[in-house]
Amino acid sequence: MSCNSSPPYFLMNFVRRIGHLTLLLAGCTAATTVAELKIENAVISPDGFGRNSIVVNGISPGMVLTATKGERFRIKVNNLLTDEIMNKSTSIHWHGILQQHNNAMDGVAFVNQCPIAPGNSFTYSFTSADQAGTFWYHSHVRIQYCEGLRGALVIYDPHDPYLSLYDVDDASTIITLADWSATTPPDSLAINGVGRYFGGPSTPLSVINVVKGKRYRIRLINMACTPDYLFSIDSHTFTVIEADGELTRPLVVDSIPISVGQRYSFILEANQTVDNYFIRVNPTSYTSNFSNGLNSAILRYSGAPIEDPPTRTWPLANPLVESNLHPLSDPGAPGAPGVGKADINLNLVGHFNETSGKFDINGVTYLPPTIPVLLQILSGALTAAQLQPQGSVYTLPPNKVVEVSFPGTFLINQSHPFHLHGHTFHVVRSAGTADYNYVNPVIRDTVASGGLSDNVTVRFTTDNSGPWFLHWGLAIVFVEDAPGTAMSNPVNSNKHGPSGFGECALIVLAGHWSKLCPIYDSRPLSDD
């Protein structure tokens, strides 16, 4: 079926059947963060060179979304895109939010929903549940997030066990990293939305303001399209306390390697002489430097002059090593310890075909289906084995331990990130080591595959029914508990919602999710 053809009978019948159902919201007694994201085209110049882009409420990165642990998000996404050169339909993924029993809100086009057609809106509703930490949001339609549709999302915990270790934690202590260019490698790096490019103007650099003697929780987010970075601050060390929304034991380092999609929190003590200091973000995926403020921002102490910092000698000797990170609490990896001793063991071999210019996993290139995987499941017309796209859907039974290995035998000796939706995982083997740790491995949701000699391995439990994307360039879909998906998600016929959705669930957004596909399929070809 083409995107513009009429949906098959079973889909139309299913849409009619659920069109009158209610999307139920959990936690009627919980507070709610309400926001509207206006997605528009604009010409912006974060590095002094104007470029057609996508902005959120007029800016890129978009507005910071915040909530307190346990609160609900209700985010209306208003698609005002008009530039026919770019993709005009959109969707938003909430990177790191687990969406427990809420698969329809995960935001992956053609996995969890049809895209939001231009001129239309959709309201995402999800709870932070027991999650707190550093997250982000971005488009999940083709390369739109590379064109500017991305922003930070932070969930604060008033009972954070590390509260006594820092004095300041707010929007001023968020640092976002994003490549900015139409070329590969990128022309420039935008730190908090601004940067410089080689041979370009000396545009003002991003500034993080601090007061001597105070302690700051810095939230570092790699929103880039492709590069990994090495983050450091001249003359300063810092203490890592969080990886991808999961608290870690404190670890003192002088630099942080960070892959695309990853986040870290660290405590920075403003304990140096009052002055300006370079924040340095060295791309490790391509060759660059720091000349004329490239790949840089400024840490400015109160009382320092308003000027670029002096160049300092600050040799880095203690970088963050992922295998040295351990969770604050030590649940251990699920399942029996030992390689291959999980209930289900998968070896995902990635490959880049230089002839076709496409990636594949285990010999199959992921091609988005024309009907979202979740909708295929809920229709009841297909068995789990028939779900599309064939070869890229891995069906998993509920409540089983899955071990996934990413052998480093692909991508021409380049590290590659993998992000799993709907879950965090235990990294039992990290890049750069041959050792396996089933006792207290770091828990996160995005991992780097490492080099040719690596075999990065993760474990998770299938406790969140529905289709979940595992990807970054390479992609597959894990379908967990296909038979139980309808009862576990709010877009079904259970009027009281699935377990955990609260006895007094609110009645809102009736049939809204089910209308996305009919609207998308009726759009004109010019909206592609």
Side-chain angles (χ1 to χ4, degrees):
M1 185 187 83
S2 71
C3 289
N4 296 315
S5 61
S6 298
Y9 172 77
F10 82 83
L11 177 57
M12 294 183 67
N13 181 60
F14 176 67
V15 169
R16 291 191 193 101
R17 179 164 61 87
I18 70 170
H20 301 292
L21 298 179
T22 297
L23 182 60
L24 301 172
L25 296 183
C28 60
T29 59
T32 301
T33 293
V34 179
E36 180 177 4
L37 305 182
K38 295 181 179 180
I39 312 302
E40 301 174 284
N41 296 111
V43 175
I44 60 175
S45 51
D47 57 4
F49 185 85
R51 175 185 158 198
N52 292 326
S53 308
I54 299 175
V55 296
V56 182
N57 296 355
I59 57 175
S60 178
M63 64 181 290
V64 177
L65 298 176
T66 63
T68 300
K69 184 177 180 179
E71 287 187 350
R72 170 165 292 282
F73 288 88
R74 190 174 179 187
I75 312 298
K76 181 180 180 180
V77 175
N78 193 3
N79 183 356
L80 303 175
L81 295 173
T82 58
D83 191 335
E84 295 185 0
I85 297 177
M86 300 182 184
N87 301 120
K88 291 170 63 178
S89 296
T90 194
S91 70
I92 304 293
H93 170 57
W94 317 95
H95 191 112
I97 302 298
L98 299 181
Q99 303 292 2
Q100 194 79 24
H101 303 304
N102 203 29
N103 185 274
M105 296 294 110
D106 197 44
V108 182
F110 302 111
V111 174
N112 314 104
Q113 66 171 89
C114 279
I116 307 165
N120 291 269
S121 65
F122 179 70
T123 300
Y124 291 90
S125 180
F126 53 93
T127 177
S128 60
D130 62 351
Q131 288 187 270
T134 309
F135 309 91
W136 62 299
Y137 64 91
H138 58 87
S139 170
H140 228 296
V141 171
R142 299 184 183 176
I143 62 168
Q144 278 186 341
Y145 97 80
C146 305
E147 296 166 332
L149 208 176
R150 48 193 168 192
L153 188 158
V154 177
I155 301 173
Y156 296 98
D157 183 359
H159 304 292
D160 177 12
Y162 288 135
L163 271 177
S164 64
L165 299 186
Y166 54 85
D167 306 302
V168 182
D169 177 24
D170 56 27
S172 72
T173 61
I174 297 171
I175 299 178
T176 63
L177 313 177
D179 48 346
W180 189 252
S181 176
T183 66
T184 301
D187 289 326
S188 63
L189 162 66
I191 302 176
N192 284 350
V194 294
R196 297 174 183 172
Y197 65 93
F198 182 78
S202 296
T203 54
L205 297 176
S206 177
V207 176
I208 302 298
N209 291 293
V210 296
V211 175
K212 184 175 174 63
K214 288 192 175 293
R215 303 161 302 169
Y216 297 81
R217 178 172 179 164
I218 305 295
R219 297 177 183 268
L220 181 65
I221 307 172
N222 187 347
M223 298 180 177
C225 269
T226 53
D228 295 344
Y229 298 109
L230 181 66
F231 176 95
S232 65
I233 304 176
D234 284 359
S235 303
H236 291 76
T237 59
F238 23 85
T239 304
V240 176
I241 60 169
E242 177 212 345
D244 296 357
E246 295 287 335
L247 293 178
T248 67
R249 296 182 190 176
L251 182 66
V252 177
V253 300
D254 62 16
S255 54
I256 298 176
I258 183 167
S259 291
V260 174
Q262 291 185 330
R263 297 89 64 206
Y264 289 101
S265 279
F266 60 86
I267 297 167
L268 172 70
E269 295 189 26
N271 56 11
Q272 297 298 305
T273 302
V274 171
D275 204 346
N276 296 297
Y277 297 84
F278 270 123
I279 297 171
R280 301 184 185 271
V281 184
N282 187 26
T284 56
S285 305
Y286 60 93
T287 301
S288 189
N289 56 55
F290 300 110
S291 62
N292 190 37
L294 290 179
N295 308 310
S296 301
I298 299 172
L299 182 73
R300 175 166 292 148
Y301 279 68
S302 178
I306 309 301
E307 61 187 21
D308 282 3
T311 298
R312 292 179 170 88
T313 300
W314 178 240
L316 302 178
N318 186 29
L320 170 67
V321 175
E322 185 181 67
S323 58
N324 289 339
L325 280 176
H326 305 290
L328 180 59
S329 58
D330 290 338
V339 178
K341 292 187 177 181
D343 299 318
I344 300 167
N345 301 280
L346 299 172
N347 192 46
L348 301 182
V349 181
H351 176 256
F352 179 71
N353 188 317
E354 292 183 321
T355 301
S356 67
K358 294 181 179 180
F359 297 100
D360 65 63
I361 290 181
N362 291 353
V364 179
T365 296
Y366 175 82
L367 298 173
T370 55
I371 300 172
V373 181
L374 178 59
L375 194 53
Q376 295 177 51
I377 296 169
L378 295 181
S379 74
L382 300 176
T383 67
Q386 294 173 322
L387 294 173
Q388 302 293 322
Q390 287 282 297
S392 294
V393 174
Y394 290 63
T395 57
L396 302 173
N399 302 312
K400 298 296 183 181
V401 175
V402 180
E403 183 170 288
V404 182
S405 296
F406 305 101
T409 58
F410 65 104
L411 291 181
I412 318 175
N413 199 26
Q414 289 184 5
S415 182
H416 199 80
F418 282 93
H419 170 55
L420 177 59
H421 294 219
H423 291 277
T424 55
F425 45 66
H426 292 71
V427 186
V428 297
R429 178 174 169 177
S430 293
T433 180
D435 297 329
Y436 288 82
N437 175 10
Y438 293 92
V439 177
N440 58 355
V442 65
I443 304 170
R444 61 186 324 155
D445 59 54
T446 306
V447 70
S449 66
L452 290 174
S453 63
D454 286 307
N455 189 34
V456 170
T457 305
V458 304
R459 277 195 180 184
F460 67 98
T461 302
T462 56
D463 55 3
N464 196 5
S465 298
W468 302 107
F469 214 29
L470 172 69
H471 74 107
W472 218 287
L474 305 93
I476 60 172
V477 179
F478 285 135
V479 172
E480 296 180 32
D481 186 21
T485 293
M487 291 301 295
S488 297
N489 286 275
V491 280
N492 59 35
S493 58
N494 179 3
K495 294 181 70 175
H496 297 289
S499 174
F501 264 64
E503 293 297 327
C504 47
L506 301 178
I507 301 176
V508 296
L509 305 178
H512 198 180
W513 178 84
S514 67
K515 296 177 182 177
L516 287 170
C517 287
I519 293 172
Y520 178 78
D521 284 332
S522 65
R523 78 202 185 287
L525 284 174
S526 62
D527 285 348
D528 280 347

